[in-house]
Structure formats: C-alpha cells, structure tokens
Amino acid sequence: MTDRTSQRRRRIDGFALFWGAPSFLWQGVFFLAPLIVLVAMSFWVVRNFRLTPDFVFGNWERMLTRDYFWAGYGYTFQLALLVALLASLIAFPVAHYLAFRARPGIRRLAIFLLITPFFTSYLVRIYSWKIILSTEGVLNVMFGWLGLGPFGMIDNAFGAVVGYLTLCLPLVIIIQVFALSAVGRALIGAAHNLGAPPLRTTLTVTIPAARIGLILAATFAFILSFGDYVSPTYLGGGTPPTMSILVVDQTKSGNHWPRASVVAVTMVLTLVTVLFAALFAAYGRPGKKT
Amino acid sequence: MSGARGGLQAVWTVAVFVFILTPIASLVVFSFNADRFPSLPWGGFSLVWYEAILEDQTVRDAMWRSLRVSASVSVLATFIGFAAAYTDYRYNFTGKMPYLALAALPPTVPVLILGLGMLSFFSMIDLVGTLRAVIAGHVVICAPFAMALIRMRLADMSPDLEPAAWNLGASRWRTMATVTLPWCLPSIFAALAITAAVSFDEFMIAWFVSGLEETLPVRILALLQGQVSPRINAIGSLVFFVSGLLVVIAQLLTWRRGAT
C-alpha cells in the first residue's frame, strides 16, 4: 500500500499538476471561499455601518422570529412545489411524444429548440412576457376582441408561475425525454402484448421504469424556481416577497449583508434537504431496487 | 396505438413549444414596431428603437463591457474546463470524487446565493466594482459546462492512444499538442461558444459584483425597473441574437461529431 502510494506520488508531477490544479484553485478561491464567507457572515454584526466579524446568533434570531420571513418562506416553497408539479405534468405528454412517437428528425429539432432557450437570455424572455401579459398587452387586446377581460395576469402568483415555467420547462422536457428514451421499447411492447391499454401501460410500466429521471426533472424545476429572483419580481409583483427578493432587499436596500446571508443559508439548507429527499425517493426506496 | 390520442398529444406538444418560443418571437417582432407601447394593433415597421439604443452611450458602454467579459470568460473557462476534463480522463487519485464535485457543482447553486457570497468575499479582497470580479464569478459557473462538453469528447478517445504516442517516443507535452488537443478541438470550440453565451447572458452575479461597471444584462435589469419601452425589445433582441448564434454554433460543432 505504502509502495503504491509513493509510486503514485512520484507520478504526480509538473504535467499532471498543470492540468489538475487550475480547476481546483479557481473553484476553491472563487466558489468555495465565497460560500464559506456567506455562512460565516450570517454570524457577523454590523457596527456603525461596517461589517465586523463576530460569532453571534442575533441575525438568525432576528430573521427566524419575523412573520414576514416565514410567510416568504412558505410562499416560495409552495410556488416552487407547484411549479415542479405543473412543469412535470405539462412536460410529460411532450416528452412521451418526442421519445416514442416523433420521427428522429423531429426529435432532434425539438431537442435543439429546447437547448437554445436554456442558454439565451432568461431576463429578456421575462421582460417579453411582462408586456404580453400586461393590461394593454397582446393577450388582453385579443381577449378584448372577444369581449372579455382585461385580466390581471401579472403582479400576482399567476404571472410568477408563467415565468417559472419559462425557466424550467425546457430543462424538464429534456430530462424527461432522456429518461423515457432509456425505457426499453421491448418492455412497453411486452405490456401491449399482454393486453394492457396504452394509458395503463404508461401508468404502470413506463412511469415506474422512468421514475429516476422524472423525479430528477421535478427536482431541478423546484431548485430553479426556489432560487429565482426575476420571475417573482417582474411578473409576480414582488408581494409577498419570495426568499430571493428578501435576499436582494436586505443586500441592496437594507444594506444588511448578514441578514441576507441568513436567508441565503436557509435557502441552501432547504435545497440540499429537498435534493436528498428526491435522491432517496428516486434511488433509495427500500425493496423496490431495480 | 390509438390515432386520436397520438393526434391530441402532437397538438399538446406544439402548444407547449409555442409557449416556450412565444416570448422570444414577440420580443423580436415588437422591436420593429413603431408604436411606443409594444402591443397590438401593429403600428408599422420601424428601426427607430434600434437607432435609439445604438445612440445611447450607456448601452454602448455596457455592450462593450459584456463583450470583453464574455471573451475573457470563454477562454479562461474553456481552459479550466479542459484541464479538469483531462485530469478526470487521465488520472486516478485519492480525493478524485471531491475534486470532481468541486469542478462540477457550481451551476447547481442558485446564482443569487453565489452572487451574495461573491459580493461579500470579493469586497474583502477589494475586487468588487471591477470587470475582473465579474469575470472571476462567471468563470466559476461556466467552467463546468466546458468540462462536461470536453469530457464527453474525451470519452470517445481510446485510452491507449496517448500511451501509444508515449511509447513511440513523444513527450507528454508533445502528445498533448499533437494527439489529444486536435482530437478535442470540436468540443473546445463548442465550449468556447457556450461559455461565451452563458457569460453574455448572466446578470445576477454581474449585478451583485459589478458595481458601476454595468454589463449589458445588468443595464437591461435597470431598464426593467423603469417603464416598458420598445428600446428594451431592441436591446433584448440584440442580446438574444448574440447568445442564440453562439449556442447554435456550439450545437452544430457537437452534432457534426455525432453524425460522423
């Protein structure tokens, strides 16, 4: 064992270090250190408008005993949960169609169209929704032609959900398509041959077989919406404030970074818990291992 | 399979794609509308909003900053991504799991939280309010994308190829330059394009750490807090074209490999 270790150590030389070190150094300094500072800062104090290192629980006490904090937490959590469910339900027929029925050319084009928005300005797309959904916007003008409306579609939860779905749907569909494509056609064919009608096959064979991917997709939708600032602010109207809005308000206007970091750390803890719960649901269900 | 159900499913699929593409289409269409409020009825074709933003010094400055940032980020992030992907491909070592986790995880942390963390840490080391701060932050979230793209390409390279070159007497640096790098080239170009696109669009980290050095998306964020104006449609369309073009280039580069 020691022999092998020393041998290995001799092989870690300039060449290996040159390729191995950059990622470690960069992410250590610019990713890990900021996160550590973020956690530490939640215990610091602000004295005479200056941030002073300390170890007090005042910020935690102050935030966790405020009603608006818990109202915001509940609202954010519910919205993110709703979006995870909605996005999964809306995406499933699409992913099912792309995975099993569409021709390969169509499927490739669809995936292409889904990847493109993922990397193109989300901010700009939300702005675009804002004018489409506003009182004088395109949709309400059209409703007006039918003698309906105008409907208030922004500055409320509906607007926020439209924004969240814009953010999540492409990714959820992509993950679901991959999850469903991995389900063997033979399995589904077998269910058909045994006389199961299509809907029953989908519910009892396809969905359980693709469970891991489906749960993962919903989890990503939850994580993305839970941390998003733009949709609840510009489409949701900012009231009640979500966790992300609390962070920005405490940082930008309140200028109280330690309190902002309390909210941020609470968000991280929540997301990690949700992620582990989801992984457990996906992989760890006892007695159901495949 | 029942035809009616398949038909209904196709209609649903099209509807969902319309939902996904509507904001982009509407954005571009109304950037050419002459009216002051981007809505129906159509006010006539016009380029006034594009002229207005091109004359706006704050927008031009922000555009220039964004281009500089995304160029630097794409080179740095692609280098770091390549280095990490190659390390994963070539070496086994104790602590490889945490090493890879550190290299891959940044995009899973909400940018809002990263932004706040970077703001506080960067203010300690006097980096806040500079474009270097924005670059440092963007490389963090971009490098993992580059790593993933390049690692996929390396997965298709036989692990015996490099040892063969070594046995023939090439040094490891020479092997890297004449065997490994050329093999990875399509994915390197794809990574350059994708990371440039991600950086060009990123506003949260930039908003937190850039101070007065506004990048273009941060400028848009500031404009969003004011009144609705077709000028934002025009800037948004420009931003969309730049990042869309980069993503399409990246996809074509990765696809050509899949086709051959």
Side-chain angles (χ1 to χ4, degrees), chain A residues 52-123:
Chain A
T52 323
D54 204 334
F55 190 75
V56 294
F57 290 85
N59 307 306
W60 284 92
E61 207 185 312
R62 156 101 194 185
M63 291 312 285
L64 298 187
T65 52
R66 288 295 180 280
D67 285 342
Y68 67 82
F69 176 85
W70 291 110
Y73 187 87
Y75 182 62
T76 316
F77 201 95
Q78 282 170 13
L79 272 185
L81 207 59
L82 177 72
V83 169
L85 264 175
L86 265 181
S88 296
L89 289 176
I90 293 172
F92 188 78
V94 179
H96 188 274
Y97 182 80
L98 293 176
F100 295 125
R101 299 189 181 207
R103 277 176 284 129
I106 301 277
R107 188 184 317 152
R108 269 165 59 126
L109 177 69
I111 298 283
F112 181 85
L113 286 176
L114 289 171
I115 292 179
T116 309
F118 189 62
F119 288 106
T120 46
S121 190
Y122 165 56
L123 187 61

Side-chain angles (χ1 to χ4, degrees), chain A residues 120-132 166 230, chain B residues 22-24 26-28 200-201 203 216-217 220-221 224 232-241 243:
Chain A
T120 46
S121 190
Y122 165 56
L123 187 61
V124 164
R125 281 180 285 146
I126 292 307
Y127 162 75
S128 193
W129 272 126
K130 185 177 163 161
I131 51 181
I132 294 171
T166 307
V230 175
Chain B
T22 291
I24 298 167
S26 143
L27 175 86
V28 176
F200 195 77
D201 278 338
F203 53 89
L216 198 53
I220 296 177
L221 202 67
L224 272 174
I232 310 179
N233 283 58
I235 309 177
S237 302
L238 283 182
V239 171
F240 175 76
F241 284 132
S243 46

Side-chain angles (χ1 to χ4, degrees), chain A residues 115 119, chain B residues 142 145-146 149 189-199 246-247 250:
Chain A
I115 292 179
F119 288 106
Chain B
C142 290
F145 287 113
L149 279 170
F189 285 130
L192 284 171
I194 281 285
T195 50
V198 172
S199 164
L246 289 167
V247 176

